[in-house]
Amino acid sequence: MDLRNIAIIAHVDHGKTTLVDELLKQSGAFRENQAVAERALDSSDLERERGITILAKATSVEWGDVRVNIVDTPGHADFGGEVERILSMVDGVVLLVDAAEGPMPQTKFVTSKALALGLRPIVVLNKVDKPAAEPDRALDEVFDMFVGLGADDDQLDFPILYASGLGGWADTELDGPRADMHALFDLILAHVPAPRVVAQREAPFRMLATTLSADPFLGRILTGRVESGRLRAGETLKALGRDGKKVEQFRVSKILAFRGLAHQPIEMAEAGDIVTLSGMGKATVADTLCALEVETPIPAQPIDPPTISVTFGINDSPLAGREGAKVQSRVIRERLMKEAESNVAIRVSDTPGGEAFDVAGRGELQMGVLIENMRREGFELAISRPRVLFRDEGGQRLEPIEEVTIDVDDDYTGPVIEKLTGPRQGELVEMKPAGAGKTRIVAHVPSRGLIGYHGEFLTDTRGTGVLNRVFHGWTPYKGHIPGRRAGVLISMESGTSVAYALFNLEDRGRMFIGAQEPVYEGMIIGEHTRENDLDVNPLKGKKLTNVRASGKDDAVALTPPSRLSLEAAISYIDDDELVEITPKAIRLRKRFLDPHERKRQARAAG
């Protein structure tokens, strides 16, 4: 059967997975009465809850006598390690752009990877039926983006479709019939070249592993595109690392291929197809699986280096071990090493004491997803504030800088620009109207300046602003950037919080906890209204007397506490603070729980 391999790339929430749902339905991949979940490729609970694609997933549909392998890629730059590997498997890309928002930072990031590989994109302007859609403006911005990314003449001569993934239609004209997805299928077959494998079918078998996963029955499985040759189950292969050294030799126990949403066994894998192999014990992502006579590995795409580091440690608070089952450093290390094995964008190293581990990655979202997964698996952890990783080149210290794109109401542009370009050392690149009373601001800001900024940004814009960021490059070190300005309220007692005490503390700042919650000495229970930290007693109850007076026994009405999300908590803490993560709670605490030790450390730090 004739083959086409394509990837669908887009910014977060521009409709990739919904579009794939429609392609599967209209190609006949589902039975008429088959029950299929919405966003079928978002397989994990975390992906469904957050509405984002975290792991790349493949599927296939048949259109006429052509099989189309479709890969749904992550839209966020923090998962760029997935994007870079996946694009090496395909021969074309469908670039999905929201007709109202236009190309966003993550769109630019993923598109730059596709253009660098020489892929010729198909541009689909999605959600053109939205009231705020401006497809002509979005199309002009896409063309400008391609020019800015150095696209060649063939890539600039891209075909265009207007679509609504939710409505289930795509047309070559904006005022087309809006009936089905036939126009997109036809364009994929006409525009995307078939894999160039005619001369490779008789060559020795070679395949570059791009994704790693585990199956409860098959064990370790690797997915990739067959570059050359044929393979049958039961044959023996070897794995070569990126440096050409032999990793292992193994017998292929099973070959699986994507057929609709199912992973089905096939008898033989041929050059050009995307398949999954099982039977290996050590081979991992970016290794070349090949016949025994092959000596040269397939070149793997270079992965952008990590830009931030977070320390994962054991939870040593007084509440440790009450809510999670996995608390030992040995178990935490095994889980992190397993993650680093399948995720090439993450690096794990031991700290000198051996009780904690430095995990370097691409961004706070990637770290947040890893921590949330571990939390749901029953782990208890203590997480440090993210630290930016620096480079030294030619005796000069370089730091990562990010391109920040902000859509904000016109009334709030002043505070946003002041915060970014003032203490956070950002540089304003562009500012233009975005329609509907909004302004789009583009700035280059050091990664250090963005840690902890999102909460301030939502406050400054009254929750109406949208901030997107993507790694831009490296720049000379910009000097000191101040951290969080507000101090915190620290519990000086251990026990259960009392409503009366919290009510009397509300004048001191906003609370992170409510009544009848466990607290301990050194735990952060709120944010102070001033810059200094303050020790408080959340256990202090009301004094009881025999004298009754009108109004003295009124019920206490507490202001609802500010519950920090996982990513918000990690970016909120200061260098001398930790986030305590358990399956049931997210707590903030001082690194040193003893008040005398905290004061001694503060004096030592000046």
Side-chain angles (χ1 to χ4, degrees):
M1 179 173 281
D2 202 3
L3 272 177
R4 297 290 188 276
N5 295 320
I6 66 162
I8 299 183
I9 60 178
H11 180 76
V12 174
D13 201 33
H14 276 202
K16 296 185 304 298
T17 312
T18 304
L19 184 78
V20 174
D21 280 357
E22 285 300 321
L23 295 177
L24 287 166
K25 289 175 185 175
Q26 297 189 27
S27 65
F30 303 146
R31 298 190 315 271
E32 288 274 340
N33 61 344
Q34 185 172 346
V36 181
E38 185 183 355
R39 302 198 315 274
L41 287 190
D42 281 349
S43 52
S44 73
D45 292 340
L46 207 53
E47 287 179 315
R48 291 186 177 279
E49 290 169 18
R50 300 194 179 204
I52 60 174
T53 300
I54 296 171
L55 297 174
K57 290 165 284 284
T59 183
S60 76
V61 299
E62 293 183 12
W63 191 251
D65 56 353
V66 180
R67 173 174 293 120
V68 182
N69 288 322
I70 303 172
V71 184
D72 184 18
T73 62
H76 200 284
D78 280 13
F79 310 110
E82 286 277 317
V83 175
E84 291 156 13
R85 297 198 310 270
I86 290 304
L87 292 179
S88 65
M89 289 201 302
V90 300
D91 304 294
V93 294
V94 174
L95 173 62
L96 206 62
V97 178
D98 189 308
E101 294 184 359
M104 299 294 282
Q106 318 297 344
T107 316
K108 184 177 180 180
F109 168 80
V110 183
T111 306
S112 67
K113 302 295 181 185
L115 296 178
L117 291 171
L119 301 176
R120 296 173 59 215
I122 296 170
V123 175
V124 177
L125 297 174
N126 194 29
K127 306 183 184 181
V128 295
D129 51 351
K130 289 172 64 175
E134 297 182 61
D136 292 337
R137 175 185 60 81
L139 183 58
D140 290 341
E141 291 178 356
V142 170
F143 186 84
D144 292 342
M145 179 183 71
F146 277 34
V147 172
L149 295 174
D152 59 32
D153 291 343
D154 286 341
Q155 291 171 329
L156 287 174
D157 187 22
F158 51 83
I160 306 154
L161 287 178
Y162 302 92
S164 169
L166 199 60
W169 56 266
D171 292 318
T172 55
E173 301 293 337
L174 185 57
D175 54 354
R178 301 189 174 189
D180 48 41
M181 287 283 180
H182 288 203
L184 179 55
F185 278 117
D186 295 340
L187 187 54
I188 290 172
L189 269 54
H191 186 75
V192 178
R196 302 181 184 90
V197 294
V198 177
Q200 298 290 331
R201 285 188 173 139
E202 303 305 322
F205 179 83
R206 294 189 310 152
M207 184 185 100
L208 179 67
T210 52
T211 62
L212 168 70
S213 53
D215 184 275
F217 302 104
L218 302 176
R220 193 186 192 88
I221 57 176
L222 286 168
T223 301
R225 183 175 74 166
V226 182
E227 296 293 332
S228 63
R230 292 185 171 96
L231 178 71
R232 294 183 183 275
E235 295 184 9
T236 301
L237 296 179
K238 68 178 179 181
L240 298 177
R242 278 180 279 188
D243 55 1
K245 293 182 180 178
K246 181 178 176 181
V247 177
E248 66 169 328
Q249 182 173 315
F250 63 95
R251 177 179 170 273
V252 179
S253 59
K254 189 160 282 192
I255 305 172
L256 304 171
F258 298 96
R259 299 293 181 260
L261 290 177
H263 227 161
Q264 296 181 355
I266 58 174
E267 293 184 2
M268 182 172 66
E270 290 191 316
D273 203 0
I274 296 174
V275 298
T276 300
L277 306 183
S278 66
M280 68 289 299
K282 298 179 181 178
T284 186
V285 168
D287 288 348
T288 300
L289 311 182
C290 55
L292 299 180
E293 63 267 27
V294 176
E295 298 295 334
T296 306
I298 301 171
Q301 287 295 317
I303 305 299
D304 284 348
T307 56
I308 70 163
S309 173
V310 173
T311 300
F312 285 55
I314 58 172
N315 179 20
D316 55 357
S317 82
L319 301 179
R322 297 188 185 184
E323 298 170 353
K326 302 174 182 177
V327 296
Q328 305 95 332
S329 60
R330 171 184 56 82
V331 179
I332 295 172
R333 186 181 190 278
E334 289 175 359
R335 176 64 177 83
L336 291 175
M337 290 302 177
K338 180 181 176 183
E339 182 71 23
E341 194 175 67
S342 61
N343 190 341
V344 294
I346 280 182
R347 298 175 188 171
V348 180
S349 58
D350 296 333
T351 58
E355 292 292 319
F357 313 96
D358 282 331
V359 181
R362 295 287 281 274
E364 292 166 63
L365 178 61
Q366 184 188 38
M367 291 296 165
V369 168
L370 171 59
I371 295 167
E372 181 64 32
N373 282 328
M374 293 180 67
R375 178 189 180 197
R376 296 184 181 200
E377 292 166 15
F379 284 88
E380 288 195 8
L381 304 164
I383 306 296
S384 74
R385 174 181 170 86
R387 301 178 303 280
V388 169
L389 301 177
F390 299 98
R391 269 185 179 181
D392 286 318
E393 289 186 7
Q396 189 176 32
R397 193 184 195 192
L398 303 180
E399 66 173 321
I401 192 168
E402 302 192 36
E403 181 177 283
V404 181
T405 301
I406 292 173
D407 287 324
V408 62
D409 290 346
D410 296 339
D411 296 340
Y412 306 131
T413 55
V416 171
I417 293 174
E418 182 183 350
K419 290 278 181 73
L420 290 179
T421 59
R424 300 182 186 276
Q425 306 277 3
E427 296 178 5
L428 190 63
V429 176
E430 186 180 15
M431 180 175 171
K432 62 182 181 181
K438 289 187 175 289
T439 299
R440 175 163 293 182
I441 301 168
V442 181
H444 291 162
V445 187
S447 298
R448 288 182 299 139
L450 292 173
I451 294 176
Y453 172 62
H454 196 258
E456 282 186 49
F457 170 75
L458 291 177
T459 301
D460 292 341
T461 62
R462 307 297 188 270
T464 61
V466 178
L467 183 150
N468 290 284
R469 48 195 276 195
V470 65
F471 175 72
H472 179 69
W474 298 86
T475 187
Y477 181 70
K478 289 182 174 287
H480 174 68
I481 294 178
R484 187 187 69 214
R485 297 179 62 183
V488 290
L489 303 176
I490 306 166
S491 172
M492 62 170 64
E493 299 287 345
S494 299
T496 303
S497 61
V498 176
Y500 178 79
L502 297 181
F503 177 75
N504 289 324
L505 290 174
E506 285 185 350
D507 291 340
R508 300 286 189 176
R510 62 178 177 134
M511 294 293 148
F512 297 153
I513 66 167
Q516 298 301 304
E517 293 187 24
V519 296
Y520 52 83
E521 188 177 2
M523 178 175 159
I524 296 172
I525 65 168
E527 180 181 82
H528 195 196
T529 52
R530 301 188 181 184
E531 295 184 8
N532 63 302
D533 294 345
L534 184 66
D535 287 337
V536 297
N537 184 2
L539 276 59
K540 187 177 181 181
K542 184 181 178 182
K543 293 282 199 280
L544 299 177
T545 69
N546 291 328
V547 179
R548 293 183 177 271
S550 176
K552 290 289 186 182
D553 296 323
D554 290 344
V556 172
L558 289 178
T559 303
S562 299
R563 303 288 185 183
L564 296 180
S565 66
L566 181 57
E567 284 89 358
I570 294 170
S571 61
Y572 177 83
I573 58 174
D574 220 333
D575 292 333
D576 64 338
E577 298 164 2
L578 297 171
V579 181
E580 178 186 344
I581 308 288
T582 74
K584 296 182 180 178
I586 298 172
R587 304 182 183 97
L588 308 185
R589 46 164 282 201
K590 282 292 182 180
R591 188 182 293 270
F592 302 100
L593 299 179
D594 181 65
H596 302 293
E597 180 66 17
R598 291 205 307 274
K599 291 176 182 176
R600 190 183 69 79
Q601 292 291 332
R603 285 196 299 270

